[in-house]
């Protein structure tokens, strides 16, 4: 019977849930393509866009149902234990949480379906990471046979899931903020050199006020500059023109390579499988960044994304704090000490420090814009190092990834 449950669980994960999430992501992005976003961030959606969102919602909901079925059958195949006892299961549950948060919180409660395509992308990437560390269902390692597994690991997983959502928003905010800042700088530069700006040279209005007065006129000139009748379309093209997709792809590939080397190292530095995983992970993430670049004009304003990021990380941080404390209590019961600077304990603490630094900078220094996003992305990189590098490469008392 357990083998039957295991086969059902695997089929529900792949291809059922994976294809449903992929179809939902495409439908949401299609809906975004037919959404008009004015410079003032008012949105309207034509019939094609509305149907794209509806189809995406349906497919994502079905995907959540099949994903839940996968987790239930995975648990049954493992004699009824909780389905987060190894890296594969942890990643699978995290992907479920990312999509569930997107549907129930950001789409249905906050009415922001435009972020769903990217949250589904984040969920799919997490599922891809799960497939890279696939293990068949089975019993837990003896040290994990504890009620603290349900408390410590679940809260760590919940916090990491919310941090993943925050990372998606951080990435989108960084792109949008850079584009908006560069476009504003170009607009101001053109305004200073315009005849309208020159007209104020001898008046009592200083250069800054002159720039402010001419920005609206400069934005209207975008229509003629980009050769389209629709001003909002021209503004969208201008936003995309501030960032080179080729350079974005290259920088993202290099940045992700600093973390994804663990998939190469885990297989062996000279194996074809290790190299294949290394290049696949980097290329996929770089392509995801280019997709986000293409939809720059359809994204919420940078200020909105900044607020979503801060609120999301603020929600996850106390959960991570509790999880670290719960882990220390479990360590005392299992090993006779609360803290021993094991690699996983140390890295989990560094993750806490990184996100504490992010929140502290936001609260006390008023950090905003790209610097805040970069700090948030670095914090997530520390989290991923804790999860992948420590589990797959660095040995320690927590080396029970189940691989």
């Amino acid at each position: 019977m357990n083998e039957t449950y295991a086969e059902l669980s695997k089929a529900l994960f792949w291809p059922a849930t994976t294809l449903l999430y992929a179809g939902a992501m495409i439908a949401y992005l299609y809906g975004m393509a037919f959404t008009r976003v004015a410079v003032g961030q008012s949105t309207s959606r034509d019939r094609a866009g509305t149907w794209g969102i509806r189809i995406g919602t349906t497919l994502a909901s079905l995907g959540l149902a099949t994903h839940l079925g996968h987790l239930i059958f995975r648990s049954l195949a493992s004699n009824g234990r909780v389905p987060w006892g190894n890296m594969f299961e942890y990643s699978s549950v995290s992907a479920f949480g990312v999509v569930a948060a997107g549907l129930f919180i950001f789409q249905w409660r906050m009415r922001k379906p435009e972020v769903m395509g990217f949250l589904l992308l984040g969920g799919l990437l997490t599922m891809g990471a799960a497939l890279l560390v696939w293990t068949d269902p089975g019993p837990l390692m003896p040290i994990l046979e504890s009620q603290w597994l349900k408390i410590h690991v679940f809260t760590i997983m919940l916090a990491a899931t919310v941090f993943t959502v925050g990372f998606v928003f951080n990435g989108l905010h960084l792109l949008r903020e850079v584009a908006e800042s560069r476009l504003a700088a170009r607009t101001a530069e053109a305004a200073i050199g315009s005849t309208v700006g020159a007209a104020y040279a001898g008046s009592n209005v200083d250069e800054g006020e002159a720039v402010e007065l001419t920005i609206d006129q400069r934005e209207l000139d975008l229509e003629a500059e980009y050769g389209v009748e629709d001003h909002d379309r021209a503004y969208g093209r201008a936003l995309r023109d501030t960032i080179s997709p080729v350079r974005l792809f290259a920088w993202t590939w290099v940045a992700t390579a600093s973390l994804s080397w663990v998939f190469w190292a885990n297989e062996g530095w000279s194996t074809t499988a290790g190299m294949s995983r290394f290049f696949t992970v980097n290329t996929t993430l770089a392509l995801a960044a280019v997709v986000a670049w293409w939809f720059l004009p359809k994204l919420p304003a940078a200020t909105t994304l900044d607020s979503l990021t801060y609120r999301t990380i603020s929600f996850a941080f106390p959960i991570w704090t509790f999880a670290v404390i719960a882990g220390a209590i479990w360590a005392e019961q299992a090993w006779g000490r609360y803290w021993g600077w094991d690699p996983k304990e140390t890295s989990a603490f560094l993750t806490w420090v990184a996100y504490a630094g992010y929140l502290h900078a936001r609260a006390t220094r008023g950090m905003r814009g790209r610097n805040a996003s970069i700090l948030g992305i670095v914090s997530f990189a520390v989290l991923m190092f804790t999860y992948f590098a420590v589990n797959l490469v660095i040995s320690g008392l927590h080396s029970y990834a189940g691989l």
Side-chain angles (χ1 to χ4, degrees), residues 28-355:
Y28 275 112
L29 294 178
Y30 178 84
M32 282 185 69
F34 288 91
T35 298
R36 293 171 53 86
V37 183
V39 176
Q41 287 299 301
S42 59
T43 61
S44 61
R45 199 171 288 116
D46 62 19
R47 188 173 181 180
T50 300
W51 275 106
I53 299 299
R54 288 177 179 174
I55 293 171
T57 303
T58 301
L59 292 176
S61 301
L62 289 173
L64 274 181
T66 58
H67 202 157
L68 180 61
H70 152 74
L71 296 174
I72 292 172
F73 284 117
R74 179 87 182 185
S75 177
L76 293 173
S78 304
N79 298 319
R81 67 168 175 81
V82 292
W84 54 76
N86 53 53
M87 285 186 70
F88 166 77
E89 294 171 353
Y90 182 107
S91 299
S92 178
V93 176
S94 292
F96 178 86
V98 169
V99 178
L103 274 177
F104 293 109
I105 299 176
F106 297 103
Q107 179 172 342
W108 291 340
R109 187 177 183 278
M110 301 185 72
R111 306 294 181 186
K112 294 195 176 296
E114 59 269 23
V115 302
M116 273 301 298
F118 297 100
L119 289 179
L120 279 160
L121 178 58
L124 283 168
L125 290 173
T126 305
M127 291 178 72
L131 286 173
L132 291 176
V133 290
W134 167 267
T135 52
D136 293 322
L140 291 170
M141 296 183 68
I143 196 171
L144 297 177
E145 295 282 358
S146 169
Q147 290 300 317
W148 283 103
L149 177 70
K150 300 177 181 178
I151 301 172
H152 168 64
V153 178
F154 177 78
T155 49
I156 279 282
M157 185 171 53
L158 177 61
T161 298
V162 182
F163 281 142
T164 301
V165 174
F167 167 71
V168 173
F169 290 152
N170 259 320
L172 295 177
H173 170 256
L174 181 61
L175 275 176
R176 179 79 191 202
E177 197 278 336
V178 169
E180 287 183 5
S181 297
R182 289 180 178 178
L183 183 58
R186 292 179 184 180
T187 300
E189 182 181 353
I192 291 173
S194 69
T195 55
V196 180
Y200 284 98
S203 69
N204 293 325
V205 180
D206 63 24
E207 185 178 89
E209 291 173 323
V211 169
E212 229 174 83
L213 290 170
T214 56
I215 282 178
D216 289 339
Q217 180 61 47
R218 172 60 180 166
E219 288 185 345
L220 290 175
D221 290 343
L222 289 171
E223 178 179 324
E225 182 177 343
Y226 284 87
V228 296
E229 297 179 359
D230 191 323
H231 169 57
D232 295 330
R233 284 173 58 203
Y235 182 79
R237 290 188 185 182
L239 273 178
R240 278 199 294 260
D241 283 351
T242 61
I243 298 175
S244 165
V246 176
R247 294 181 64 184
L248 176 64
F249 180 92
W251 277 108
T252 305
W253 203 98
V254 171
T256 57
S258 63
L259 282 176
S260 62
W261 63 268
V262 296
F263 293 118
W264 191 357
N266 186 55
E267 294 284 348
W269 292 101
S270 61
T271 64
T272 302
M275 293 178 63
S276 175
R277 290 185 177 189
F278 177 74
F279 286 101
T280 299
V281 169
N282 295 340
T283 304
T284 300
L285 292 173
L287 287 174
V290 174
V291 170
W293 166 83
W294 177 258
F295 284 97
L296 260 177
K298 311 292 184 178
L299 292 175
T303 52
T304 301
L305 289 168
D306 185 50
S307 175
L308 286 175
T309 304
Y310 180 60
R311 292 162 66 183
T312 301
I313 294 177
S314 296
F315 177 78
F317 183 73
I319 302 175
W320 184 270
T321 303
F322 171 80
V324 172
I325 295 171
I329 297 173
W330 188 6
E332 196 278 332
Q333 293 184 1
W335 301 312
R337 89 292 188 280
Y338 289 100
W339 198 267
W341 298 105
D342 178 74
K344 177 64 74 67
E345 294 170 345
T346 304
S347 194
F349 174 67
L350 291 176
T351 301
W352 184 90
V353 170
Y355 277 108

